[in-house]
């Protein structure tokens, strides 16, 4: 089966979803491909900052997402010895210290708008296996499998919005430089105790960061930095002493931790690295988000950077000039901001422990 569109976007995460909507709204035909059976299954960041919020509001999308469920963080607290010693509140003009938006809510809020356009379609359970080129070497489409069937999608432009292990980047042989940050991350989720306020809470376990993020639906997401590559060794050790550190850091969570984190299987490991590409695409291909500049979880910048990428790229893509589009302009508009974010992440990681030096006794 063959399909044809002005633009084929691979990866239905926030960046790919937003770009799909903006291009469809501007009259371009768009086919969005997602390898998962259900939208929102892949793990991605779920915290909007004020920049990501502004992008959604500028395109009248924020209210649709908010109606599906969001949660504004009301404070940031630093803990030592089981007690708060420093609290930061948001500026009144912003009104929050980040917004938790469940992945499914964000994607549904955006794509339900895109689906209003007959020239937009989304193919789930569709995995790209090959890129197509013309006689001059320009990429003109993809080969994919959908529900076990081989299909072809022809397009004037292919967008790789398919994350840190991008298939499009790999098949286009676009070089990537990775940087390790000395830590990996364990994620877990527990129920919040009654009366828990929407907040971000931080503690220091040894020299590693432990973070709590309140989530929609009465949950708390735990992010626990561990030594890079150490999880296999950790799992050989006793589980109880390890998890006891969490209850000591946040005593009010002891009962919930005991109930919901009962083995190493209740953690999800994230291999932490950042990366950047010298080129953000090639003839017929553009990359955005983690596919071209992978962020670490620090500061929750990744989601917001992807939304800004999509917003910027959409402003450059016009139906009548797609065949002549060069990715260089997009890269020049966004690369400096991305370098600044990556530098900010590194600074936050290197200075996190300093927040605890003058803690109250």
């Amino acid at each position: 089966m063959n399909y044809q569109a002005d633009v084929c976007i691979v990866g239905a995460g926030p960046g790919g979803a937003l770009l799909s909507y903006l291009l469809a709204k501007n009259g371009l035909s768009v086919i969005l491909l997602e390898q998962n059976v259900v939208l929102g299954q892949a793990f991605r960041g779920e915290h909007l900052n004020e920049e990501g919020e502004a992008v959604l509001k500028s395109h009248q999308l924020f209210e649709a997402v908010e109606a599906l469920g969001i949660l504004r963080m009301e404070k940031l607290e630093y803990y030592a010895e089981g007690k708060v010693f420093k609290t930061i509140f948001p500026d009144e003009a912003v009104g929050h210290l980040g917004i938790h938006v469940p992945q499914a809510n964000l994607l549904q809020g955006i794509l339900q708008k895109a689906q209003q356009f007959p020239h937009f379609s989304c193919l789930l359970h569709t995995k790209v296996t090959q890129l197509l080129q013309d006689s001059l070497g320009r990429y003109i489409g993809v080969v994919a499998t959908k529900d076990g069937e081989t299909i072809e999608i022809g397009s004037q432009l292919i967008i790789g919005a398919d994350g840190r292990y991008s298939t499009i980047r790999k098949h286009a042989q676009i070089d990537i430089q990775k940087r390790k940050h000395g830590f990996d991350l364990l994620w877990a989720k527990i129920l919040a105790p009654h009366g828990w306020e929407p907040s971000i809470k931080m503690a220091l376990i040894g020299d590693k960061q432990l973070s709590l993020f309140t989530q929609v639906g009465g949950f708390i997401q735990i992010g626990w930095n561990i030594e890079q590559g150490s999880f296999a060794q950790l799992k050989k050790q006793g589980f109880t002493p390890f998890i006891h550190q969490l209850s000591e850091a946040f005593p009010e969570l002891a009962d919930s931790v005991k109930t919901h984190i009962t083995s190493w299987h209740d953690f999800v490991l994230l291999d932490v690295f950042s990366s950047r590409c010298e080129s953000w695409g090639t003839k017929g291909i553009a990359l955005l988000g983690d596919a071209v500049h992978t962020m670490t979880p620090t500061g929750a910048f990744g989601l917001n950077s992807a939304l800004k990428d999509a917003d910027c790229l959409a402003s450059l893509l016009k139906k009548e000039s797609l065949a002549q589009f060069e990715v260089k302009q997009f890269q020049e508009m966004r690369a400096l901001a991305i370098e600044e974010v990556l530098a900010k992440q590194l600074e936050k990681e290197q200075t996190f422990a300093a927040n605890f030096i003058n803690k109250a006794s």
Side-chain angles (χ1 to χ4, degrees):
M1 186 178 295
N2 294 332
Y3 297 80
Q4 188 69 40
D6 293 324
V7 181
C8 176
I9 300 176
V10 181
L18 178 61
L19 183 60
S20 295
Y21 166 70
L22 295 178
L23 295 184
K25 184 180 178 183
N26 289 338
L28 283 77
S29 59
V30 177
I31 295 179
L32 175 63
L33 309 182
E34 171 56 46
Q35 67 178 355
N36 288 299
V37 179
V38 179
L39 288 173
Q41 278 191 333
F43 176 82
R44 298 182 177 97
E46 294 190 330
H47 269 254
L48 280 178
N49 61 24
E50 56 189 290
E51 289 187 334
E53 178 186 14
V55 169
L56 294 180
K57 285 184 173 180
S58 72
H59 298 293
Q60 293 75 52
L61 292 168
F62 186 80
E63 287 187 358
V65 175
E66 184 175 24
L68 295 169
I70 66 173
L71 189 64
R72 294 173 174 84
M73 300 300 105
E74 298 174 355
K75 57 186 176 180
L76 166 61
E77 296 178 323
Y78 290 89
Y79 275 63
E81 299 175 356
K83 297 180 180 179
V84 179
F85 70 88
K86 180 168 66 174
T87 303
I88 296 173
F89 295 99
D91 293 336
E92 289 187 11
V94 178
H96 61 77
L97 289 169
I99 303 172
H100 177 241
V101 183
Q103 179 80 187
N105 293 4
L106 178 59
L107 296 180
Q108 182 182 341
I110 296 172
L111 291 179
Q112 67 185 5
K113 297 286 189 180
Q115 288 162 353
Q116 298 173 3
F117 301 103
H119 46 278
F120 166 78
S121 61
C122 180
L123 304 182
L124 300 177
H125 201 204
T126 305
K127 182 176 178 62
V128 172
T129 58
Q130 181 185 342
L131 301 181
L132 300 174
Q133 292 177 277
D134 64 16
S135 59
L136 299 177
R138 184 180 181 87
Y139 291 98
I140 57 171
V142 305
V143 179
T145 58
K146 174 174 172 54
D147 301 322
E149 177 187 0
T150 298
I151 62 174
E152 289 189 8
I153 300 101
S155 63
Q156 295 192 63
L157 185 64
I158 302 164
I159 305 295
D162 50 343
R164 63 210 306 252
Y165 300 111
S166 171
T167 296
I168 301 304
R169 184 185 69 221
K170 178 181 178 181
H171 283 301
Q173 298 182 333
I174 296 172
D175 291 336
I176 183 172
Q177 294 80 45
K178 290 185 178 181
R179 176 175 186 161
K180 288 287 190 176
H181 288 241
F183 69 95
D184 291 330
L185 188 62
L186 294 180
W187 289 115
K189 183 180 287 190
I190 62 175
L191 282 174
H194 179 71
W196 188 268
E197 297 177 319
S199 59
I200 302 169
K201 302 181 190 297
M202 302 287 188
L204 195 64
I205 303 296
D207 63 346
K208 293 292 185 289
Q209 180 174 333
L210 177 61
S211 309
L212 306 180
F213 302 92
T214 313
Q215 294 190 315
V216 171
F219 293 98
I220 297 170
Q221 186 179 46
I222 299 165
W224 195 329
N225 290 10
I226 61 172
E227 201 72 34
Q228 179 186 318
S230 67
F231 191 46
Q233 191 62 38
L234 270 177
K235 289 191 293 184
K236 296 177 182 178
Q237 303 173 13
F239 176 75
T240 302
F242 180 82
I243 206 65
H244 183 64
Q245 298 173 93
L246 176 56
S247 297
E248 282 190 324
F250 302 103
E252 61 268 51
L253 294 181
D255 289 341
S256 189
V257 168
K258 185 178 180 180
T259 300
H260 298 286
I261 308 181
T262 60
S263 77
W264 293 113
H265 296 293
D266 293 317
F267 284 105
V268 175
L269 175 67
L270 178 67
D271 174 23
V272 174
F273 63 86
S274 62
S275 69
R276 56 187 293 276
C277 296
E278 289 294 335
S279 173
W280 286 35
T282 186
K283 292 182 179 180
I285 289 178
L287 305 176
L288 63 77
D290 275 359
V292 70
H293 50 69
T294 303
M295 307 270 177
T296 75
T298 303
F301 291 108
L303 162 61
N304 302 280
S305 295
L307 293 176
K308 294 191 72 174
D309 282 355
D311 190 27
C312 176
L313 185 54
S315 72
L316 299 175
L317 299 182
K318 310 299 179 185
K319 190 178 182 70
E320 62 275 10
S321 58
L322 272 182
Q324 290 76 45
F325 175 75
E326 297 290 342
V327 76
K328 184 178 179 181
Q329 185 180 5
F330 171 49
Q331 182 171 345
E332 289 175 345
M333 292 174 68
R334 289 289 296 146
L336 180 58
I338 293 302
E339 291 297 333
E340 290 174 350
V341 169
L342 289 170
K344 188 180 296 184
Q345 285 195 309
L346 193 60
E347 180 186 11
K348 283 178 174 289
E349 290 164 7
Q350 293 174 341
T351 61
F352 178 77
N355 291 291
F356 297 84
I357 291 176
N358 297 316
K359 62 181 180 291
S361 58

